[in-house]
Amino acid sequence: MARGRADVKSRKNLVTTTVLVLVTVGGFFYFYSQNSDSSSSVEYGAKSLSHTGLGGDKDDGVSSSTLVGGEVIAVPKSIPVCDDRLSELIPCLDRNLIYQTRLKLDLSLMEHYERHCPTPDRRFNCLIPPPPGYKVPVKWPKSRDQVWKANIPHTHLATEKSDQNWMVVKGETIVFPGGGTHFHNGADKYIASIANMLNFPNNNINNGGRVRSVLDVGCGVASFGGYLLSSNVIAMSLAPNDVHQNQIQFALERGIPAYLGVLGTQRLPYPSRSFELAHCSRCRIDWLQRDGLLLLELDRLLRPGGYFAYSSPEAYAQDEEDRRIWREMSALVERMCWKIAAKKDQTVIWVKPLTNSCYLKRLPGTKPPLCRSDDDPDAVLGVKMKACISRYSDQMHKAKGSGLAPWPARLTTPPPRLAEIHYSTEMFEKDMEVWKQRVHNYWSKLASKIKPDTIRNVMDMKANLGSFAAALKDKDVWVMNVVPENEQKNLKIIYDRGLIGTVHNWCEAFSTYPRTYDLLHAWTVFSDIIKKECSPEDLLIEIDRILRPKGFIIIHDKRSMVEYIKKYLSALHWNAVTIYDVDQGKDDDDDEVVLIIQKKMWLTSESIKVSE
């Protein structure tokens, strides 16, 4: 592994004793040469950058210094480029890391597909290069149906799934006909058939706005989720980084919401009662394992009256093994109080109860049991799945449902669970107004740099209640709302508003492929990192990994923090678009500033240079 930066505490001690040396020469050497006993260290840090007509300062390797949080930090003028083999690196889902650290994982429980992050000394502190021939991605909505082959140079799925219409290679592009393992004739027809089975008006899956949020487990290249969007339904398309590698990378390149995750041992990073519909089409999941643990995780995530659409051979039971699985699964969901809403051919749709009444009528000792009263169904980060049924809150039980408004009114209507996080209606509405104005200001500053179709995949790195995303409702974008671990209860409000998101600690890398987002919004994220004594430099490199070339970063933070970040622009090959002050009250200790940055298009000297 390439060398990693030491943590903030150890670096602080070193800087305190040798600050003059660090500022002049030693700082640069320390930043890049620590743990250089690995032979791969030199190899991974030795490449040069070639700008595509965007200019840039000559890289003389000389460091400057800055003061952050009372600590003097050496700021390099250049950052090495990782080896080309790392162009698709996902640090916390890196198979090489698992192999080299000899982690003892249970493969039968899918633990090897869960997050395992490198320690600071094993981090790659280098910029992830694009693959040879990388191009600015195809724009939405055209991207739903085709992407550049050079951007994701993997065509094995086209051969492996050739009879299922997942994807087809055509010249320099990869085309997505909309097929899937179970819906060869197109996701649009399959979605309409599900709506028809449920007797939804006009065969529209949104059911008058009552179905908005969907979880697609084992999503493939996410054509199901892609075709849901035209019905104003948003899916969290979920798949692991497994033998069908690059599924999620294809989904995000297409502009479809998606996330790398697996039903293994940990709860999925979503709060309880987040989805109206869960979907599994030939997703190769053994739902009966571990006392139905994985099915109970779906149960936790479904809203009252929510549906599980299951398309699989077991649903029509042609042989003895299929019939056995069907009998056992039917018995399990019956004990879970699910009922069959519809069944046709290879698809069965179950529906959850609206209240706790069925749970309370079960015979003593019935399995799976109800979860303990002290179990928090919304706690997800680092929490193991539990083989028990999460009952509804008293409010949901009495309301006989989630009590949410239909979409799109849901986006701006204070949800009933707001009281659970101690927010009033007035606080909710004020939050919306504040972010509406802030987003208006952001977009006015970006206007000269973007066209209507420039931005598609957006991430709000500290989403609070999701009002940043709500303010973008008239833009043709989707937003991954990320909340920190100490605010994970806020995520249920985000889902109740008809948005999607996840919980994440920015001291670690995010579970996504490189170059998957067009715009990142970082509101006080860097100040939070400093408080946690994590490395802001690591976060800058992680942001660069996630961001597409020509993409934008909106950094909204304290002036001192923004001034610190500005010193890294040259090293990261970022351009400052604009900077402006944020109006605040007179009692604020440190005024806030907004810095908008654009990532340059660059290629390594070993890549094929592409003109834009």
Side-chain angles (χ1 to χ4, degrees):
M1 300 288 284
R3 66 240 168 256
R5 191 183 299 104
D7 61 24
V8 173
K9 286 184 176 179
S10 61
R11 186 176 59 243
K12 183 174 181 179
N13 293 334
L14 181 61
V15 170
T16 301
T17 58
T18 61
V19 63
L20 292 177
V21 178
L22 282 174
V23 169
T24 55
V25 179
F28 181 76
F29 180 80
Y30 174 79
F31 189 82
Y32 292 116
S33 301
Q34 187 153 294
N35 297 323
S36 57
D37 54 327
S38 168
S39 61
S40 63
S41 297
V42 175
E43 178 185 0
Y44 285 179
K47 299 199 173 178
S48 62
L49 294 178
S50 175
H51 296 286
T52 58
L54 290 167
D57 297 332
K58 181 179 179 181
D59 179 10
D60 57 13
V62 177
S63 300
S64 61
S65 64
T66 188
L67 187 69
V68 179
E71 174 189 352
V72 178
I73 295 178
V75 180
K77 290 197 69 177
S78 66
I79 296 176
V81 179
C82 299
D83 186 272
D84 286 342
R85 291 170 293 177
L86 298 178
S87 66
E88 293 172 351
L89 176 70
I90 311 166
C92 295
L93 297 172
D94 183 7
R95 288 192 184 87
N96 290 326
L97 174 71
I98 292 174
Y99 173 76
Q100 292 177 13
T101 55
R102 295 177 173 83
L103 295 178
K104 295 180 180 180
L105 304 174
D106 191 329
L107 304 188
S108 68
L109 302 183
M110 311 294 278
E111 285 185 316
H112 54 307
Y113 294 142
E114 294 181 325
R115 286 173 58 85
H116 303 283
C117 296
T119 54
D121 62 302
R122 285 187 171 271
R123 290 176 182 168
F124 288 92
N125 294 310
C126 46
L127 303 181
I128 301 295
Y134 181 85
K135 300 181 181 182
V136 173
V138 177
K139 303 303 181 184
W140 182 266
K142 189 177 180 181
S143 63
R144 188 195 71 174
D145 302 323
Q146 70 176 56
V147 301
W148 296 117
K149 183 174 65 175
N151 290 9
I152 310 180
H154 301 282
T155 58
H156 63 280
L157 282 176
T159 303
E160 184 179 342
K161 303 290 185 179
S162 59
D163 61 330
Q164 299 169 13
N165 276 336
W166 277 32
M167 48 191 272
V168 179
V169 178
K170 289 189 176 181
E172 294 185 350
T173 65
I174 295 175
V175 177
F176 301 88
T181 305
H182 183 70
F183 41 91
H184 306 176
N185 295 325
D188 51 348
K189 296 181 179 64
Y190 174 66
I191 291 167
S193 71
I194 292 176
N196 179 265
M197 290 173 66
L198 293 170
N199 295 316
F200 288 169
N202 303 315
N203 293 338
N204 193 326
I205 195 68
N206 72 22
N207 191 26
R210 286 179 284 275
V211 173
R212 165 62 182 173
S213 305
V214 171
L215 176 65
D216 187 18
V217 181
C219 64
V221 293
S223 289
F224 181 77
Y227 279 83
L228 284 174
L229 291 166
S230 59
S231 297
N232 280 323
V233 174
I234 190 165
M236 178 65 83
S237 296
L238 184 79
N241 185 24
D242 62 6
V243 292
H244 296 317
Q245 293 181 51
N246 310 102
Q247 298 172 94
I248 295 301
Q249 189 178 19
F250 278 120
L252 291 166
E253 183 76 9
R254 297 172 69 186
I256 300 171
Y259 185 80
L260 275 162
V262 65
L263 283 165
T265 66
Q266 305 281 330
R267 280 180 173 175
L268 294 178
Y270 320 123
S272 69
R273 320 300 173 231
S274 294
F275 303 97
E276 280 88 29
L277 172 70
H279 172 255
C280 160
S281 173
R282 304 265 184 113
C283 54
R284 300 188 306 165
I285 292 174
D286 177 7
W287 296 106
L288 295 173
Q289 65 176 284
R290 292 176 277 168
D291 299 318
L293 181 71
L294 306 185
L295 203 59
L296 288 162
E297 175 65 359
L298 287 192
D299 183 84
R300 181 184 71 85
L301 297 173
L302 282 173
R303 301 194 195 277
Y307 301 99
F308 177 41
Y310 179 58
S311 295
S312 179
E314 294 87 23
Y316 62 95
Q318 290 187 339
D319 59 35
E320 182 55 37
E321 179 61 12
D322 285 337
R323 286 196 292 270
R324 180 193 67 79
I325 294 172
W326 175 252
R327 286 194 301 269
E328 292 186 18
M329 196 163 176
S330 296
L332 172 60
V333 297
E334 184 178 357
R335 296 194 302 272
M336 292 167 56
C337 293
W338 290 13
K339 294 182 178 180
I340 291 180
K343 187 173 183 290
K344 183 179 179 182
D345 299 329
Q346 299 181 32
T347 301
V348 60
I349 304 175
W350 285 288
V351 61
K352 277 189 64 176
L354 287 169
T355 69
N356 291 326
S357 298
C358 175
Y359 305 143
L360 302 176
K361 292 176 182 177
R362 299 187 315 158
L363 294 175
T366 300
K367 292 185 177 181
L370 295 179
C371 296
R372 293 169 40 135
S373 58
D374 60 352
D375 176 66
D376 181 1
D378 300 322
V380 295
L381 201 63
V383 177
K384 295 283 187 180
M385 291 184 194
K386 300 176 182 178
C388 58
I389 299 171
S390 299
R391 72 188 81 191
Y392 302 132
S393 66
D394 290 341
Q395 178 269 323
M396 281 190 178
H397 174 72
K398 293 176 182 177
K400 296 183 178 180
S402 58
L404 298 176
W407 179 267
R410 181 180 300 188
L411 184 64
T412 54
T413 303
R417 291 200 284 185
L418 199 61
E420 295 180 18
I421 64 167
H422 308 294
Y423 263 75
S424 66
T425 297
E426 292 74 19
M427 294 165 68
F428 177 83
E429 292 173 345
K430 182 178 180 181
D431 186 72
M432 280 197 298
E433 286 302 314
V434 167
W435 283 105
K436 183 179 179 180
Q437 184 58 51
R438 286 177 176 174
V439 169
H440 172 78
N441 292 340
Y442 294 159
W443 239 252
S444 66
K445 302 295 184 181
L446 278 168
S448 63
K449 288 284 184 178
I450 61 174
K451 298 177 182 178
D453 61 353
T454 300
I455 294 172
R456 172 62 183 171
N457 300 352
V458 178
M459 179 187 288
D460 190 359
M461 298 174 67
K462 185 181 177 183
N464 195 31
L465 302 181
S467 292
F468 169 85
L472 293 172
K473 63 179 175 29
D474 295 328
K475 310 291 183 184
D476 203 3
V477 303
W478 67 273
V479 181
M480 178 67 79
N481 293 278
V482 182
V483 300
E485 68 278 16
N486 61 331
E487 296 178 9
Q488 58 185 299
K489 287 185 178 296
N490 290 10
L491 193 55
K492 60 187 169 186
I493 305 304
I494 289 169
Y495 274 92
D496 285 354
R497 299 180 72 174
L499 304 168
I500 61 170
T502 187
V503 180
H504 182 64
N505 176 0
W506 284 111
C507 293
E508 298 177 346
F510 192 77
S511 291
T512 193
Y513 282 89
R515 303 171 301 278
T516 46
Y517 285 87
D518 300 298
L519 172 67
L520 302 179
H521 174 238
W523 170 56
T524 67
V525 174
F526 283 91
S527 290
D528 292 344
I529 282 291
I530 292 294
K531 292 175 184 176
K532 293 177 181 178
E533 298 187 324
C534 296
S535 167
E537 298 96 331
D538 284 343
L539 181 55
L540 286 167
I541 292 174
E542 171 64 2
I543 284 176
D544 186 79
R545 185 186 73 86
I546 293 173
L547 194 65
R548 287 173 169 173
K550 307 290 286 183
F552 296 90
I553 315 141
I554 300 173
I555 297 175
H556 183 152
D557 217 312
K558 295 178 180 179
R559 183 178 299 278
S560 58
M561 198 71 246
V562 170
E563 290 299 322
Y564 158 73
I565 292 168
K566 283 170 61 180
K567 295 180 181 291
Y568 276 88
L569 296 184
S570 176
L572 290 161
H573 310 280
W574 295 354
N575 277 332
V577 174
T578 189
I579 185 169
Y580 63 92
D581 294 339
V582 177
D583 292 333
Q584 293 181 279
K586 296 179 180 179
D587 297 331
D588 291 309
D589 295 331
D590 190 354
D591 56 336
E592 292 185 356
V593 174
V594 171
L595 173 64
I596 300 179
I597 298 164
Q598 185 174 27
K599 179 178 176 177
K600 296 177 182 180
M601 170 69 87
W602 57 264
L603 299 163
T604 63
S605 57
E606 297 184 12
S607 297
I608 300 172
K609 197 170 184 179
V610 178
S611 59
E612 297 177 62

